mmCIF file of all heavy atoms in Angstrom:
data_model
loop_
_atom_site.group_PDB
_atom_site.id
_atom_site.type_symbol
_atom_site.label_atom_id
_atom_site.label_comp_id
_atom_site.label_asym_id
_atom_site.label_seq_id
_atom_site.Cartn_x
_atom_site.Cartn_y
_atom_site.Cartn_z
ATOM 1 N N MET A 240 2.173 -2.171 3.772
ATOM 2 C CA MET A 240 3.272 -1.733 4.638
ATOM 3 C C MET A 240 3.285 -0.212 4.677
ATOM 4 O O MET A 240 3.237 0.438 3.627
ATOM 5 C CB MET A 240 4.612 -2.235 4.083
ATOM 6 C CG MET A 240 4.745 -3.750 4.043
ATOM 7 S SD MET A 240 6.161 -4.302 3.045
ATOM 8 C CE MET A 240 5.423 -4.244 1.403
ATOM 9 N N SER A 241 3.320 0.343 5.877
ATOM 10 C CA SER A 241 3.486 1.790 6.081
ATOM 11 C C SER A 241 2.440 2.622 5.335
ATOM 12 O O SER A 241 2.747 3.665 4.771
ATOM 13 C CB SER A 241 4.898 2.225 5.634
ATOM 14 O OG SER A 241 5.891 1.413 6.190
ATOM 15 N N THR A 242 1.210 2.183 5.352
ATOM 16 C CA THR A 242 0.154 2.856 4.588
ATOM 17 C C THR A 242 -0.528 3.962 5.405
ATOM 18 O O THR A 242 -0.943 3.722 6.531
ATOM 19 C CB THR A 242 -0.888 1.824 4.098
ATOM 20 O OG1 THR A 242 -0.228 0.923 3.211
ATOM 21 C CG2 THR A 242 -2.034 2.487 3.384
ATOM 22 N N PRO A 243 -0.671 5.151 4.819
ATOM 23 C CA PRO A 243 -1.296 6.278 5.523
ATOM 24 C C PRO A 243 -2.821 6.234 5.453
ATOM 25 O O PRO A 243 -3.452 7.081 4.813
ATOM 26 C CB PRO A 243 -0.735 7.491 4.781
ATOM 27 C CG PRO A 243 -0.561 7.013 3.371
ATOM 28 C CD PRO A 243 -0.142 5.566 3.503
ATOM 29 N N PHE A 244 -3.430 5.262 6.111
ATOM 30 C CA PHE A 244 -4.892 5.121 6.068
ATOM 31 C C PHE A 244 -5.608 6.384 6.529
ATOM 32 O O PHE A 244 -6.699 6.685 6.068
ATOM 33 C CB PHE A 244 -5.347 3.947 6.935
ATOM 34 C CG PHE A 244 -4.825 2.617 6.503
ATOM 35 C CD1 PHE A 244 -4.051 1.845 7.350
ATOM 36 C CD2 PHE A 244 -5.110 2.110 5.242
ATOM 37 C CE1 PHE A 244 -3.580 0.606 6.964
ATOM 38 C CE2 PHE A 244 -4.641 0.872 4.838
ATOM 39 C CZ PHE A 244 -3.872 0.121 5.704
ATOM 40 N N GLY A 245 -5.001 7.100 7.456
ATOM 41 C CA GLY A 245 -5.610 8.327 7.973
ATOM 42 C C GLY A 245 -5.136 9.588 7.274
ATOM 43 O O GLY A 245 -5.509 10.687 7.667
ATOM 44 N N GLY A 246 -4.314 9.428 6.258
ATOM 45 C CA GLY A 246 -3.816 10.586 5.516
ATOM 46 C C GLY A 246 -2.677 11.286 6.230
ATOM 47 O O GLY A 246 -2.045 10.737 7.126
ATOM 48 N N SER A 247 -2.431 12.522 5.807
ATOM 49 C CA SER A 247 -1.330 13.319 6.355
ATOM 50 C C SER A 247 -1.800 14.760 6.543
ATOM 51 O O SER A 247 -2.264 15.390 5.597
ATOM 52 C CB SER A 247 -0.147 13.296 5.382
ATOM 53 O OG SER A 247 0.769 14.323 5.679
ATOM 54 N N GLN A 248 -1.648 15.254 7.775
ATOM 55 C CA GLN A 248 -2.013 16.648 8.039
ATOM 56 C C GLN A 248 -1.175 17.600 7.196
ATOM 57 O O GLN A 248 -1.666 18.630 6.722
ATOM 58 C CB GLN A 248 -1.856 16.973 9.530
ATOM 59 C CG GLN A 248 -2.862 16.271 10.413
ATOM 60 C CD GLN A 248 -4.303 16.633 10.072
ATOM 61 O OE1 GLN A 248 -4.617 17.734 9.642
ATOM 62 N NE2 GLN A 248 -5.197 15.676 10.238
ATOM 63 N N MET A 249 0.093 17.242 6.976
ATOM 64 C CA MET A 249 0.969 18.081 6.145
ATOM 65 C C MET A 249 0.395 18.186 4.733
ATOM 66 O O MET A 249 0.455 19.239 4.109
ATOM 67 C CB MET A 249 2.376 17.480 6.114
ATOM 68 C CG MET A 249 3.363 18.310 5.331
ATOM 69 S SD MET A 249 3.838 19.832 6.171
ATOM 70 C CE MET A 249 4.857 19.187 7.469
ATOM 71 N N ALA A 250 -0.181 17.108 4.229
ATOM 72 C CA ALA A 250 -0.756 17.123 2.879
ATOM 73 C C ALA A 250 -1.914 18.106 2.779
ATOM 74 O O ALA A 250 -2.102 18.737 1.737
ATOM 75 C CB ALA A 250 -1.217 15.728 2.487
ATOM 76 N N SER A 251 -2.672 18.243 3.854
ATOM 77 C CA SER A 251 -3.792 19.187 3.796
ATOM 78 C C SER A 251 -3.280 20.610 3.608
ATOM 79 O O SER A 251 -3.924 21.418 2.934
ATOM 80 C CB SER A 251 -4.682 19.065 5.040
ATOM 81 O OG SER A 251 -3.957 19.341 6.208
ATOM 82 N N LEU A 252 -2.112 20.918 4.154
ATOM 83 C CA LEU A 252 -1.508 22.240 3.947
ATOM 84 C C LEU A 252 -0.898 22.352 2.550
ATOM 85 O O LEU A 252 -1.056 23.362 1.870
ATOM 86 C CB LEU A 252 -0.433 22.494 5.002
ATOM 87 C CG LEU A 252 -0.909 22.533 6.447
ATOM 88 C CD1 LEU A 252 0.273 22.638 7.403
ATOM 89 C CD2 LEU A 252 -1.876 23.675 6.666
ATOM 90 N N LEU A 253 -0.214 21.297 2.113
ATOM 91 C CA LEU A 253 0.423 21.318 0.793
ATOM 92 C C LEU A 253 -0.601 21.391 -0.333
ATOM 93 O O LEU A 253 -0.312 21.934 -1.401
ATOM 94 C CB LEU A 253 1.322 20.094 0.625
ATOM 95 C CG LEU A 253 2.574 20.095 1.499
ATOM 96 C CD1 LEU A 253 3.274 18.744 1.433
ATOM 97 C CD2 LEU A 253 3.511 21.219 1.118
ATOM 98 N N THR A 254 -1.792 20.879 -0.096
ATOM 99 C CA THR A 254 -2.853 20.941 -1.100
ATOM 100 C C THR A 254 -3.192 22.396 -1.446
ATOM 101 O O THR A 254 -3.553 22.704 -2.575
ATOM 102 C CB THR A 254 -4.118 20.209 -0.596
ATOM 103 O OG1 THR A 254 -3.777 18.861 -0.322
ATOM 104 C CG2 THR A 254 -5.234 20.221 -1.623
ATOM 105 N N LEU A 255 -3.053 23.281 -0.468
ATOM 106 C CA LEU A 255 -3.349 24.699 -0.702
ATOM 107 C C LEU A 255 -2.373 25.329 -1.691
ATOM 108 O O LEU A 255 -2.741 26.204 -2.460
ATOM 109 C CB LEU A 255 -3.322 25.464 0.622
ATOM 110 C CG LEU A 255 -4.330 25.003 1.673
ATOM 111 C CD1 LEU A 255 -4.087 25.735 2.988
ATOM 112 C CD2 LEU A 255 -5.750 25.198 1.180
ATOM 113 N N VAL A 256 -1.134 24.856 -1.675
ATOM 114 C CA VAL A 256 -0.109 25.409 -2.557
ATOM 115 C C VAL A 256 -0.012 24.621 -3.855
ATOM 116 O O VAL A 256 0.050 25.182 -4.941
ATOM 117 C CB VAL A 256 1.265 25.423 -1.845
ATOM 118 C CG1 VAL A 256 2.359 25.936 -2.762
ATOM 119 C CG2 VAL A 256 1.192 26.256 -0.568
ATOM 120 N N TYR A 257 -0.001 23.283 -3.713
ATOM 121 C CA TYR A 257 0.156 22.396 -4.875
ATOM 122 C C TYR A 257 -1.193 21.751 -5.213
ATOM 123 O O TYR A 257 -1.327 20.541 -5.258
ATOM 124 C CB TYR A 257 1.193 21.318 -4.571
ATOM 125 C CG TYR A 257 2.549 21.879 -4.238
ATOM 126 C CD1 TYR A 257 2.985 21.941 -2.910
ATOM 127 C CD2 TYR A 257 3.383 22.359 -5.234
ATOM 128 C CE1 TYR A 257 4.238 22.458 -2.601
ATOM 129 C CE2 TYR A 257 4.635 22.881 -4.930
ATOM 130 C CZ TYR A 257 5.051 22.926 -3.606
ATOM 131 O OH TYR A 257 6.280 23.439 -3.311
ATOM 132 N N PHE A 258 -2.193 22.587 -5.462
ATOM 133 C CA PHE A 258 -3.556 22.086 -5.639
ATOM 134 C C PHE A 258 -3.749 21.253 -6.897
ATOM 135 O O PHE A 258 -4.743 20.562 -7.026
ATOM 136 C CB PHE A 258 -4.578 23.230 -5.584
ATOM 137 C CG PHE A 258 -4.313 24.333 -6.570
ATOM 138 C CD1 PHE A 258 -4.850 24.275 -7.836
ATOM 139 C CD2 PHE A 258 -3.528 25.422 -6.211
ATOM 140 C CE1 PHE A 258 -4.601 25.293 -8.752
ATOM 141 C CE2 PHE A 258 -3.280 26.445 -7.110
ATOM 142 C CZ PHE A 258 -3.810 26.377 -8.394
ATOM 143 N N LYS A 259 -2.813 21.291 -7.831
ATOM 144 C CA LYS A 259 -2.933 20.481 -9.044
ATOM 145 C C LYS A 259 -2.148 19.169 -8.946
ATOM 146 O O LYS A 259 -2.070 18.426 -9.911
ATOM 147 C CB LYS A 259 -2.441 21.268 -10.258
ATOM 148 C CG LYS A 259 -3.340 22.423 -10.620
ATOM 149 C CD LYS A 259 -2.901 23.084 -11.900
ATOM 150 C CE LYS A 259 -3.880 24.192 -12.247
ATOM 151 N NZ LYS A 259 -3.545 24.841 -13.505
ATOM 152 N N THR A 260 -1.559 18.890 -7.792
ATOM 153 C CA THR A 260 -0.756 17.682 -7.598
ATOM 154 C C THR A 260 -1.609 16.624 -6.894
ATOM 155 O O THR A 260 -1.923 16.772 -5.716
ATOM 156 C CB THR A 260 0.506 18.012 -6.778
ATOM 157 O OG1 THR A 260 1.199 19.078 -7.418
ATOM 158 C CG2 THR A 260 1.417 16.803 -6.678
ATOM 159 N N PRO A 261 -1.976 15.549 -7.590
ATOM 160 C CA PRO A 261 -2.900 14.561 -7.031
ATOM 161 C C PRO A 261 -2.486 13.941 -5.700
ATOM 162 O O PRO A 261 -3.335 13.714 -4.847
ATOM 163 C CB PRO A 261 -2.983 13.495 -8.116
ATOM 164 C CG PRO A 261 -2.624 14.175 -9.373
ATOM 165 C CD PRO A 261 -1.620 15.230 -8.984
ATOM 166 N N VAL A 262 -1.199 13.683 -5.500
ATOM 167 C CA VAL A 262 -0.794 12.972 -4.287
ATOM 168 C C VAL A 262 -1.212 13.707 -3.018
ATOM 169 O O VAL A 262 -1.633 13.081 -2.047
ATOM 170 C CB VAL A 262 0.723 12.661 -4.278
ATOM 171 C CG1 VAL A 262 1.559 13.922 -4.183
ATOM 172 C CG2 VAL A 262 1.075 11.696 -3.159
ATOM 173 N N PHE A 263 -1.135 15.029 -3.000
ATOM 174 C CA PHE A 263 -1.495 15.761 -1.782
ATOM 175 C C PHE A 263 -2.999 15.726 -1.538
ATOM 176 O O PHE A 263 -3.449 15.619 -0.398
ATOM 177 C CB PHE A 263 -0.964 17.188 -1.832
ATOM 178 C CG PHE A 263 0.534 17.241 -1.979
ATOM 179 C CD1 PHE A 263 1.123 17.952 -3.007
ATOM 180 C CD2 PHE A 263 1.353 16.545 -1.099
ATOM 181 C CE1 PHE A 263 2.499 17.988 -3.150
ATOM 182 C CE2 PHE A 263 2.738 16.569 -1.239
ATOM 183 C CZ PHE A 263 3.310 17.292 -2.274
ATOM 184 N N ALA A 264 -3.779 15.802 -2.594
ATOM 185 C CA ALA A 264 -5.232 15.660 -2.442
ATOM 186 C C ALA A 264 -5.587 14.243 -1.992
ATOM 187 O O ALA A 264 -6.482 14.051 -1.166
ATOM 188 C CB ALA A 264 -5.933 15.993 -3.761
ATOM 189 N N ASP A 265 -4.866 13.247 -2.515
ATOM 190 C CA ASP A 265 -5.149 11.847 -2.168
ATOM 191 C C ASP A 265 -4.885 11.528 -0.704
ATOM 192 O O ASP A 265 -5.568 10.680 -0.126
ATOM 193 C CB ASP A 265 -4.328 10.903 -3.046
ATOM 194 C CG ASP A 265 -4.876 10.781 -4.459
ATOM 195 O OD1 ASP A 265 -6.085 10.995 -4.660
ATOM 196 O OD2 ASP A 265 -4.084 10.450 -5.370
ATOM 197 N N ILE A 266 -3.875 12.164 -0.100
ATOM 198 C CA ILE A 266 -3.573 11.847 1.302
ATOM 199 C C ILE A 266 -4.020 12.939 2.275
ATOM 200 O O ILE A 266 -3.677 12.907 3.451
ATOM 201 C CB ILE A 266 -2.079 11.488 1.501
ATOM 202 C CG1 ILE A 266 -1.161 12.630 1.092
ATOM 203 C CG2 ILE A 266 -1.743 10.187 0.785
ATOM 204 C CD1 ILE A 266 0.307 12.390 1.424
ATOM 205 N N ASN A 267 -4.818 13.867 1.796
ATOM 206 C CA ASN A 267 -5.422 14.870 2.657
ATOM 207 C C ASN A 267 -6.471 14.164 3.528
ATOM 208 O O ASN A 267 -7.373 13.513 3.004
ATOM 209 C CB ASN A 267 -6.092 15.948 1.794
ATOM 210 C CG ASN A 267 -6.738 17.040 2.604
ATOM 211 O OD1 ASN A 267 -7.088 16.866 3.757
ATOM 212 N ND2 ASN A 267 -6.903 18.194 1.976
ATOM 213 N N PRO A 268 -6.364 14.245 4.847
ATOM 214 C CA PRO A 268 -7.307 13.525 5.718
ATOM 215 C C PRO A 268 -8.777 13.878 5.471
ATOM 216 O O PRO A 268 -9.666 13.068 5.735
ATOM 217 C CB PRO A 268 -6.888 13.942 7.130
ATOM 218 C CG PRO A 268 -5.470 14.349 6.995
ATOM 219 C CD PRO A 268 -5.345 14.956 5.619
ATOM 220 N N GLN A 269 -9.040 15.087 4.954
ATOM 221 C CA GLN A 269 -10.414 15.489 4.666
ATOM 222 C C GLN A 269 -10.783 15.249 3.202
ATOM 223 O O GLN A 269 -11.894 15.547 2.785
ATOM 224 C CB GLN A 269 -10.611 16.978 4.985
ATOM 225 C CG GLN A 269 -10.560 17.324 6.467
ATOM 226 C CD GLN A 269 -9.144 17.357 7.019
ATOM 227 O OE1 GLN A 269 -8.219 17.830 6.366
ATOM 228 N NE2 GLN A 269 -8.971 16.842 8.221
ATOM 229 N N GLY A 270 -9.866 14.696 2.423
ATOM 230 C CA GLY A 270 -10.097 14.491 1.000
ATOM 231 C C GLY A 270 -10.942 13.264 0.692
ATOM 232 O O GLY A 270 -11.197 12.416 1.550
#
Side-chain angles (χ1 to χ4, degrees):
M240 297 167 277
S241 310
T242 297
F244 298 120
S247 164
Q248 291 300 328
M249 183 72 72
S251 60
L252 297 174
L253 291 171
T254 301
L255 299 173
V256 177
Y257 300 102
F258 55 89
K259 291 186 177 182
T260 306
V262 67
F263 301 125
D265 284 334
I266 60 173
N267 180 337
Q269 291 77 40

